[in-house]
Amino acid sequence: MFTGIIEAVGTIAAIEERQGDMQLYIRTAELDLADVKLGDSIAVNGVCLTAIDLPGDGFWADVSRETLAHTRFPALKQGEKVNLEKAMMPSSRMGGHIVTGHVDGVGEVLSRADDARSVRFVVRAPANLKRYIAGKGSITVDGTSLTVNAVNDDCFELNIVPHTVQETIIGDYSAGRQVHLEVDIIARYLERLVSCRAPEAESDGAGLTLAKLAEHGFMRR
C-alpha cells in the first residue's frame, strides 16, 4: 500500500527484454534504500513493482505482460525520469490517500496552463474510468495523490502547487503525455458492493448512480 506522496524522482537506467516481458533497472537518486530488502514493493510512476536485486544505487524489477498491457511501460526509454515511493509502514503518516499501486488505465494530458504560481492541467481518462472520478475527490496520476478540481465527462482538471511541480515528474508534463491513473479504491469497492446486492446493476450498463446508492440504503432519501 502507498499514500501517493512521492519520495524521490528516479531514472530508468536499463531496460531489458525477457522472453516476452521486461526487467527494469531504476536508479533511485535520493530515495533511501537502507530499509528496503529483496521482495519489497516500490511504486514506479504509480505501478507497484517488486525489488528483485539491490545493487546499491537502485533496484531491478520484473515487469509482467499483464503490467505491460495496462500501463505505458512499453514506451519507457532509458534515461526517463520516474516518480518513486516506497511501500508505507504501519507507522507512516497518511499524507495522501489509499493507493494500491495497481494502475486502472492510461490517461492523456490535454492541456497545461500557468495559474499564478500553480499549474493547471486537463487530463482525459479512459471512458470506463470516468464514473469513478469526482470533483474534489482523489485520483492518483503517475503515483501522485492529487485532488480533482472539476470533471467534464471523461476529462478532469487538476491544480498543481509549486512544491508538487518541483518534486515530481509532473513538471515535465505537456499536452499529449500519457499518464498512469489509479482511481479511488473506495469508489471501486462501493460499486462492487452495490452490484453484488443487485445483480442487475452489473448488466444495465449504468454503473454506480445516486439512485442506486439510495435504493440500496447507502444514502438518505
Side-chain angles (χ1 to χ4, degrees), residues 41-73:
S41 298
I42 300 176
V44 179
N45 279 0
V47 181
C48 179
L49 297 180
T50 300
I52 61 170
D53 191 16
L54 295 162
D57 64 345
F59 69 100
W60 282 94
D62 287 320
V63 182
S64 69
R65 293 178 65 183
E66 176 71 10
T67 300
L68 292 172
H70 292 91
T71 68
R72 62 172 295 272
F73 274 6

Side-chain angles (χ1 to χ4, degrees), residues 10-134:
T11 306
I12 300 296
I15 303 172
E16 295 188 359
E17 301 293 333
R18 297 286 185 176
Q19 299 177 331
D21 55 32
M22 179 189 292
Q23 280 190 344
L24 295 177
Y25 180 54
I26 298 98
R27 193 164 287 122
T28 51
E30 69 269 26
L31 187 70
D32 184 8
L33 297 178
D35 60 347
V36 175
K37 61 184 184 300
L38 295 183
D40 282 355
S41 298
I42 300 176
V44 179
N45 279 0
V47 181
C48 179
L49 297 180
T50 300
I52 61 170
D53 191 16
L54 295 162
D57 64 345
F59 69 100
W60 282 94
D62 287 320
V63 182
S64 69
R65 293 178 65 183
E66 176 71 10
T67 300
L68 292 172
H70 292 91
T71 68
R72 62 172 295 272
F73 274 6
L76 281 177
K77 292 181 172 51
Q78 190 170 342
E80 185 171 332
K81 292 190 291 184
V82 290
N83 288 331
L84 300 175
E85 182 190 357
K86 294 185 290 187
M88 67 179 296
M89 306 273 295
S91 58
S92 298
R93 180 175 294 172
M94 178 61 78
H97 70 283
I98 297 173
V99 177
T100 66
H102 303 154
V103 171
D104 292 304
V106 177
E108 180 185 359
V109 176
L110 297 183
S111 66
R112 171 179 180 151
D114 292 336
D115 184 5
R117 294 182 304 114
S118 297
V119 182
R120 287 184 180 268
F121 292 93
V122 175
V123 180
R124 180 165 54 215
N128 66 314
L129 296 183
K130 66 181 183 179
R131 66 180 181 268
Y132 302 111
I133 303 172

Side-chain angles (χ1 to χ4, degrees), residues 2 40 51 55 57 88 101-102 118 123 142 154 178 188 191 206 210-211:
F2 306 91
D40 282 355
D57 64 345
M88 67 179 296
H102 303 154
S118 297
V123 180
D142 278 341
D154 60 351
Q178 291 188 315
R188 277 200 169 280
E191 180 181 56
L210 292 176

